[in-house]
Amino acid sequence: MKLRGRNKVSPDFSMSSMTDIVFLLLIFFMLTANSPNALDLLLPKAKGKSTNTQNVSVSIDKNLQYFVNNERINGEYIEIELKKALEGQDKPTIILRAEESVAIKEAVNVMDIANRNNYKVILAVRPN
């Protein structure tokens, strides 16, 4: 009399599903770790659409430090740096990222420089 069943339990473990999960996690963390905004600025909130056209980024932090394309510069030389960065552009555009606590006169200073040189200015804000 044969009492054993036909199906045998296999003690082998397949690593393919575990490898797939680890690979997907790796891709997820690589995508989320890339931050386009290297400076940690708290931007003001506003409703509106975002744009992907960017020529030069000007950032002003709460300590009134100026950054052009994430490179710290002296506030007195911002116009010279902008002229160098936007030289030869068809439609020169500045993305202005001023932290929420920065006085409006600092942002207006950059806007005035853009107006004198016929640059387009886009004010970056946090989505509402």
Side-chain angles (χ1 to χ4, degrees):
M1 189 163 161
K2 194 173 184 183
L3 294 176
R4 290 189 181 202
R6 291 184 184 177
N7 300 334
K8 289 187 178 182
V9 177
S10 174
D12 298 334
F13 179 74
S14 176
M15 286 292 289
S16 63
S17 60
M18 187 66 73
T19 306
D20 291 343
I21 291 171
V22 171
F23 182 73
L24 289 173
L25 285 173
L26 175 69
I27 291 173
F28 173 78
F29 286 122
M30 285 177 59
L31 291 176
T32 58
N34 243 354
S35 175
N37 209 1
L39 298 174
D40 189 26
L41 299 176
L42 183 62
L43 298 174
K45 291 182 183 178
K47 291 183 182 177
K49 65 177 186 175
S50 63
T51 178
N52 288 333
T53 60
Q54 176 178 346
N55 289 343
V56 173
S57 170
V58 176
S59 303
I60 308 170
D61 69 1
K62 62 184 172 188
N63 299 325
L64 299 181
Q65 295 176 342
Y66 289 83
F67 298 86
V68 174
N69 289 337
N70 297 329
E71 186 177 317
R72 186 168 181 237
I73 62 163
N74 190 341
E76 298 172 6
Y77 305 114
I78 190 162
E79 187 167 4
I80 297 167
E81 291 293 324
L82 286 173
K83 283 182 180 179
K84 279 196 281 185
L86 292 170
E87 187 177 34
Q89 298 288 334
D90 293 334
K91 296 179 182 177
T93 304
I94 299 171
I95 302 255
L96 179 58
R97 291 182 167 93
E99 201 161 350
E100 202 170 30
S101 62
V102 171
I104 193 70
K105 72 176 187 173
E106 303 299 328
V108 169
N109 182 30
V110 175
M111 290 180 191
D112 185 43
I113 292 169
N115 188 35
R116 281 193 308 249
N117 295 293
N118 295 322
Y119 300 150
K120 182 178 174 184
V121 179
I122 299 172
L123 181 62
V125 293
R126 283 185 296 164
N128 201 5

